[in-house]
Amino acid sequence: MATEHLSPLDLAFWRIESATHPMHLGALAVFEAAPPGPDADPARGPGAGAAVRAAELLTARCTAVPGLRRRIHDVLLPIGAAAWSSDEGFDPARHVFLVHTDDPEAAAGPLMARPLDRARPPWEAHVLAGPDPRSFAVLFKFHHALADGLGALALAAMLFDEGPPVRGPARPAPAPQPPGSALRNLPGVLAARVQDVGQALEIGASVARAGLPLGVPAALTAAGPARTGTRAVAGLALQLDDVNRIRKVAGGTVNDVLIALVAGALRRWLVGRGDPEPEGPGPRALIPVSRRRPGGAAKYGNRLSGYLLRLPLDEPDPLLRLDRVRSGMDRNKEAGPARGAGAVALLADHVHPLGHRLGGPLVAQAARLLFDVLVTSVPLPSFTFSLGGSRVREVYPLAPLARGHALAVAVSTYQGTVHYGLVADAAAVPDLADLAEALRAELAEFVREVS
């Protein structure tokens, strides 16, 4: 069987990881416990029994998902490369854990801070049985080398109860090439190489033009004593109807409104904690963009580019702030996801595997120079997930936190509700719950403006 090497971008995510900055993404799914069965323990309540059942189901089902049995190992050639292989000693007990906790959200922070075992398939599922007998939660962790947001969703969906498929039909296999076609295609291959080099130079120039992280609020950085490697997690659920009302009155897309809410919440949070009122062009938000074809298979690995957007924290008017976000996103979309400073992920394709291996730590250190905060959106299907009959009530996506960054924001829409998942360096942002409440207050003010 041919060796399946990691793609350049997957390899980059694998190499830039460190003990204090793990490169896994996650999702905290909150379940509404199914009614207890006849053999349930009345003393523990339906939530505890449902959590145990969920852990058993995840343990049994994960063995049947090939993508969850794959591990990463170094290879001799090409030098610096890594490849996928099946873990012949795969043990579900090393990936699925049952945790009893008084506060599932608080427990998620330390679990997100803990790196995955790089010698095993890089994923975990922690079933969090809390004191509420009506619910439990599951924290899924997938290494970014294994999957991007859509790929992780496809893997997790295979563990839930049967429902509509999360992915579309796979693309047809390419037709076999006739003999001699490689030579005939050589001019096109050379032209593509020249185009690739031009693209890399253009992206590099855009990164330089994007500017250094000057004037970024100190609360958004985790440097020196503030960089601890600890994590805090907070989730917030908002009504999609309110977001759509803003969109219809003020214009833009749903994503534009969601980003503008983040900008307004950051401004509100900074002023509320006594920091100087924001000035200048604002922090640079990296907005990941999927490069997967619509309706295509949600394969493993990463197909990502991105946009870079200055968040207008200096603008006190929410409608004008949305207008600036919309204008910036329109400029990004006009240029496309293959160019601009936000497309820096595409540069991974131009680096030799040895460069990833030797330069990974340097690239990780440079993340602070490329952007200031991550704001990512993970689309979820419209149907309801369930596990052992327990229905998923809320889903909070959780993004990895790059070195030097204090905050990462992820957002998903599920069952008519917008779920913001906030991940922060716990020492740099000890008041993460206040930022979550600032998001709620910002939406309320926005609704008042358009009503």
Side-chain angles (χ1 to χ4, degrees):
M1 181 180 295
T3 301
E4 182 184 354
H5 292 97
L6 271 70
S7 73
L9 184 53
D10 297 346
L11 185 62
F13 283 129
W14 187 246
R15 297 302 189 198
I16 66 176
E17 181 174 60
S18 68
T20 55
H21 289 87
M23 288 305 299
H24 54 254
L25 45 85
L28 183 64
V30 180
F31 289 78
E32 183 178 323
D39 56 346
D41 182 358
R44 300 184 67 188
V52 171
R53 173 62 174 156
E56 293 172 346
L57 286 172
L58 292 173
T59 298
R61 292 175 180 178
C62 69
T63 59
V65 181
L68 297 179
R69 299 173 60 99
R70 290 156 42 107
R71 57 179 291 270
I72 297 173
H73 65 278
D74 291 338
V75 295
L76 293 177
L77 294 174
I79 299 175
W84 294 102
S85 64
S86 178
D87 183 2
E88 300 303 328
F90 179 76
D91 182 0
R94 297 182 181 273
H95 298 270
V96 179
F97 307 93
L98 179 62
V99 181
H100 294 277
T101 175
D102 292 333
D103 188 343
E105 187 175 285
L111 290 173
M112 283 296 291
R114 191 174 73 189
L116 295 165
D117 189 337
R118 292 169 67 91
R120 300 190 179 99
W123 70 275
E124 291 176 353
H126 298 264
V127 182
L128 307 176
D132 185 352
R134 298 166 298 178
S135 67
F136 65 94
V138 178
L139 174 65
F140 293 98
K141 295 167 55 178
F142 296 95
H143 200 286
H144 221 323
L146 175 63
D148 55 21
L150 289 176
L153 172 63
L155 286 170
M158 298 179 191
L159 301 174
F160 290 118
D161 297 340
E162 186 175 356
V166 173
R167 58 177 186 169
R171 279 178 278 171
Q177 297 293 314
S181 60
L183 288 177
R184 289 195 297 272
N185 292 337
L186 186 58
V189 171
L190 293 176
R193 291 291 185 185
V194 172
Q195 184 178 16
D196 287 345
V197 172
Q199 180 193 45
L201 292 174
E202 182 180 355
I203 293 173
S206 297
V207 170
R209 290 194 298 270
L212 295 174
L214 301 175
V216 178
L220 293 182
T221 65
R227 186 176 63 222
T228 63
T230 57
R231 294 289 180 269
V233 168
L236 179 72
L238 303 174
Q239 290 302 308
L240 181 59
D241 286 346
D242 289 337
V243 174
N244 277 322
R245 187 184 314 168
I246 296 168
R247 177 188 60 81
K248 291 177 181 177
V249 173
T253 66
V254 167
N255 200 44
D256 292 341
V257 176
L258 296 177
I259 296 171
L261 287 174
V262 171
L266 287 173
R267 174 187 170 84
R268 183 183 296 270
W269 171 63
L270 290 169
V271 172
R273 73 203 310 252
D275 289 5
E277 187 163 317
E279 297 179 348
R284 302 160 301 168
L286 179 63
I287 317 290
V289 178
S290 175
R291 297 171 60 226
R292 298 182 186 274
R293 294 183 179 179
K299 296 182 178 179
Y300 310 131
N302 290 268
R303 294 285 296 166
L304 291 173
S305 183
Y307 297 140
L308 201 68
L309 176 72
R310 290 277 184 178
L311 297 180
L313 270 59
D314 61 324
E315 176 54 64
D317 186 291
L319 295 178
L320 293 178
R321 195 183 306 123
L322 171 58
D323 188 63
R324 287 171 60 178
V325 167
R326 181 180 58 197
S327 297
M329 288 299 289
D330 286 346
R331 287 192 296 270
N332 277 322
K333 294 171 186 175
E334 185 177 352
R339 52 176 58 90
V344 67
L346 301 183
L347 294 179
D349 293 339
H350 305 280
V351 178
H352 188 276
L354 183 59
H356 284 295
R357 185 166 191 171
L358 299 179
L362 295 177
V363 173
Q365 295 280 1
R368 181 73 184 82
L369 300 176
L370 299 174
F371 64 100
D372 305 306
V373 61
L374 179 71
V375 182
T376 183
S377 178
V378 181
L380 296 180
S382 58
F383 64 88
T384 302
F385 289 108
S386 65
L387 182 61
S390 295
R391 181 180 65 88
V392 175
R393 190 177 68 224
E394 304 162 20
V395 182
Y396 299 99
L398 304 172
L401 197 60
R403 183 183 295 273
H405 293 177
L407 175 70
V409 180
V411 59
S412 286
T413 300
Y414 176 71
Q415 296 296 297
T417 304
V418 175
H419 295 98
Y420 279 98
L422 310 178
V423 177
D425 185 292
V429 186
D431 54 348
L432 187 61
D434 292 343
L435 177 57
E437 286 307 310
L439 266 168
R440 189 185 306 278
E442 186 65 21
L443 177 65
E445 181 177 349
F446 235 132
V447 170
R448 286 193 297 271
E449 290 286 335
V450 300
S451 297

